[in-house]
Amino acid sequence: MKSVFIPLLVACLLAATPGLTAPAKPADNATYSELVPPFVLVNADRRDHVSLSGPWHYSVDPYKDGMADFHGKPYDVTKGRGSDVNVEQAMKDDPDVFYEYDLARAPVGTVPSAWIGYSPELRYYNGLMWYQKSFDAPAKTGERQFIRFAAADYKTMVYLNGHRLGEHEGGFTPFSFEVTGLLRPTGNNLVVAVDSERTPESIPTQVTDWETYGGIIRDVTLVTTPKTFIDDDFIRLTTDGHIRADIALEGDSKAGQAVEVSIPALKLTLKGTTDSEGRLSLDTRAPKTLKRWSPDAPTLYDVTVTAGADTLTDRIGFRTIEVKGTQLILNGKPIFLRGISLHEEEFGPNPSRRITPEASRALLTEIKDGLHGNYVRLSHYPHSEITTRMADEMGLLVWSEIPVYWAVKFDNPDTLKTAQRMMAENILRDRNRASIILWSVANETPISDARNQFLTTLAHEAKALDGSRLVSAALLTQTKRVDGHIDITIDDPLIPELDVMAVNTYNGWYGSDKIADVPGTVWHSSFNKPLILSEFGAETMAGVHDPVREGRFSEEYQATYYKDTLAMADKIPFLVGMSPWILKDFRSPRRQNIWQQGWNRKGVESENGQRKMAFFVLSDYYQKKADK
Ligand code: GCU
C-alpha cells in the first residue's frame, strides 16, 4: 500500500515521538502508516479526472441523527443515509415504509464552497451536514479509480453506492479513497457527511480568530490511473547544484519498473529502475542553462515522469533556500521577505471560501503588484493548491502552515497524530512547489513541556519529509520596559528546533504601549538565526477617518502604526522579512464592535479590496526595499 518516498521518516519520527522506541521495521509499519495518507496521488489535479464538483444536495443534521439512534447508539450508516436506497422509489414501492430524510431530493448547493453561502439560516451553522451527488462513470477496464477531495472542513465520512469508503479528519488537506470495482456506469450514489464541529482535541480547537467555513470547500474529482501508477514524486534542486528526483510507484508491478524523468527545456532525461518497494532516486548535476526560480523570474519547467503505462506531468521551478547565520539565502543570495499574511477568503461582502484561480489571482496580485511584495504567509492552515500553484506562476515566496493554533491539546497523543497527518498531507501535496520556502508547525502556542515536545515532533517530521525547505513557527515573546523603552527578548525553547525564528508582535495595538514607543523597541536574540515578523497589525474600517486625534479604528491610527512599526523593523539587525497581519479584512466571529461587525479589520484593504491608508505606507516601504 504505502508508496511515499521518505527514507528518513521512520527513524526520525520514532526518535522524535515521545514513548515510541525504534523496534524492528515490520512490526512498526502500523505507526508509520498511521501518519502518511494511503495514497498521495501527487499532482492529482493534473491527472486524467472527472470533476464531481458543481451542484450537490445538502441536508443539515444538527443532532447527528444520521449517525446514532435517539439513545445515542451508533447506526450502521450504510443502512441509513449512507445506504444505496432510493428513498423516493422505496416509499412509492411500499406505502408502509417511510424515511425521514431524502438526500436525493434535498436542497442543492454548489461544491466547492462552504455551506455558509447556501442559505441565510446556515450563517452560523456548525455541525453535521449530509451531501449527496449522483454521477455516471463509464467503466475504465484495467485502470484504477479514486475519489479525491481536495479538502473538506472538518471531519468527513464518505459512502459510495452503499459502501463505506472511509473518513478523514482535518479541514485543509487532500484525501482520497480507491473506488476501483465499486463504480457503476450510471447513477453512482456518492454520500458525504461533513462535520465542521471542532473539539478541544481537534486541530485547531473550537476557538480561533477566523470563520469556520464548514463544508466541501475544495474540488472533488474522480481520478483514473493505470494499474501501477506514480503515486509520489519529489523533484527539486539541491544546494549542491544537483537536480534530484525521488519517485514512488504504487501497484502490482511497481518493483523493477523503468522510470524516466524528462525536462525537455533543459534537454535532460534521467533514467532508472525502481527497487522492490517501487522506489527510485535519480540525481544529476544541474545543467548550466538552468534558470533558477525566483520571485523576480518565476521560471517553471515542464517535467514529465514516465513509468510503465503511467505518465505524470508537472510545472516545476528549481531554486534553493537556506539560512546562513542570520541571513536567508535564496539561490545563493541574501533575500528580504516583503510580505503580508492572508486568510483563504475571496474578496467580497459574502465570502464562502470559494477559491477559484480568478479569486486566488486577485488576492496574490494585490500583494505582488499592489504592495510590491515578494512573499505571502498563507495563514493559519494549508491553502488550496490553486493558490500555491498560482504563487509558483506569479513569483511569490510562501510560508505554509498547519493550524496548530493557540491552546491545542499538546498532551493528547491522538491530537499529535492528527497534526502529524496534516503535516504529512500538506508537505506531500506541495513539496514540488518552488514558491514554498517555509513549513510552519504552529502559531502563538503557550509554552509547556508537552507543547515543546509536540512541536519538536512536528519539526522533525517536516525535516524528514522535506530536507530542502526551512522550518519555522509563529512565536510569542516577553515584552518589558527597560529605561523607558520597549525591550523584547526572543527566547522560546522551541527555537533550537527551528531554522527561522518568527514572532507575532502587536505593541501599539494590544497592550499598553503607545504607538510612539514602538520605533524605540530593542530586540534581543541569543540565537544566531534569522527572524521574520510573522504578524503585526492594527484595525480600522475603510473610510473611518480621524485626522486630528488619530483615534483607534481610524485609518490614520493604522497608518501611523505601520510607519512606526516599520521604523522599529529597520533597526532589527537579524530581521529577514515580514508578513503584517493582514492583506484584507476577514470574517471572525470574535470581533463584534461597531467597526468590526463580525470582521477582523486589520486588513490593509477592506473585504471588498478598498485600499486603506496603511496599504500605501507598506507599498511605499516595499517599493524602496525592492529598489535597493
Ligand atoms: C493573532 C493571531 C491571528 C489573529 C490576530 C489578531 O496573532 O495569530 O490569528 O487574527 O492575532 O489578533 O488579529
Side-chain angles (χ1 to χ4, degrees), residues 65-139:
D65 184 57
M67 292 293 174
D69 70 13
F70 68 115
H71 284 159
K73 194 162 140 294
Y75 282 131
D76 171 354
V77 177
T78 60
K79 300 270 179 307
R81 285 171 174 79
S83 72
D84 205 15
V85 174
N86 176 325
V87 168
E88 181 180 10
Q89 197 56 47
M91 289 178 71
K92 268 203 199 116
D93 298 348
D94 181 345
D96 294 331
V97 168
F98 72 93
Y99 293 81
E100 298 191 286
Y101 63 85
D102 185 350
L103 301 180
R105 289 192 287 179
V108 172
T110 301
V111 163
S113 167
W115 58 62
I116 195 175
Y118 291 170
S119 65
E121 67 266 19
L122 291 176
R123 171 72 188 79
Y124 285 114
Y125 179 62
N126 246 333
L128 183 60
M129 182 74 85
W130 292 88
Y131 289 86
Q132 190 275 346
K133 171 105 180 163
S134 302
F135 66 95
D136 300 343

Side-chain angles (χ1 to χ4, degrees), residues 498-538:
L498 307 178
D499 301 300
V500 175
M501 307 182 292
V503 166
N504 295 355
T505 179
Y506 281 92
N507 300 91
W509 180 253
Y510 294 127
S512 56
D513 299 310
K514 299 269 170 293
I515 301 186
D517 300 335
V518 171
T521 305
V522 178
W523 289 74
H524 305 278
S525 156
S526 56
F527 301 93
N528 181 28
K529 295 191 180 196
L531 171 70
I532 294 174
L533 292 182
S534 37
E535 287 183 35
F536 60 80

Side-chain angles (χ1 to χ4, degrees), residues 416-432:
L416 175 59
K417 282 214 179 81
T418 304
Q420 287 179 291
R421 233 179 263 119
M422 279 180 191
M423 178 64 89
E425 289 167 355
N426 185 31
I427 294 180
L428 293 171
R429 186 197 77 180
D430 273 357
R431 58 184 178 175
N432 285 333

Side-chain angles (χ1 to χ4, degrees), residues 245-364:
D246 296 324
I247 312 293
L249 305 186
E250 172 56 43
D252 304 347
S253 36
K254 64 182 179 185
Q257 182 68 255
V259 173
E260 262 193 32
V261 176
S262 70
I263 313 175
L266 293 175
K267 300 187 177 50
L268 195 63
T269 300
L270 298 96
K271 294 183 181 174
T273 305
T274 54
D275 64 15
S276 58
E277 300 285 322
R279 297 189 191 141
L280 171 67
S281 287
L282 298 163
D283 185 298
T284 185
R285 172 155 291 290
K288 294 214 171 8
T289 53
L290 174 75
K291 290 201 190 75
R292 292 192 178 208
W293 183 98
S294 72
D296 299 338
T299 308
L300 296 176
Y301 287 90
D302 289 318
V303 178
T304 301
V305 181
T306 315
D310 197 17
T311 298
L312 192 54
T313 65
D314 200 355
R315 285 186 50 73
I316 295 180
F318 294 96
R319 56 99 190 95
T320 60
I321 187 75
E322 50 198 320
V323 293
K324 285 210 173 98
T326 61
Q327 290 194 312
L328 190 60
I329 308 292
L330 177 74
N331 295 330
K333 293 199 209 73
I335 186 159
F336 186 89
L337 304 176
R338 308 187 311 271
I340 194 129
S341 296
L342 183 67
H343 262 298
E344 181 163 79
E345 197 181 73
E346 67 275 26
F347 278 120
N350 267 318
S352 60
R353 191 156 277 166
R354 241 181 95 67
I355 294 297
T356 58
E358 298 68 34
S360 179
R361 188 180 294 281
L363 292 162
L364 299 190

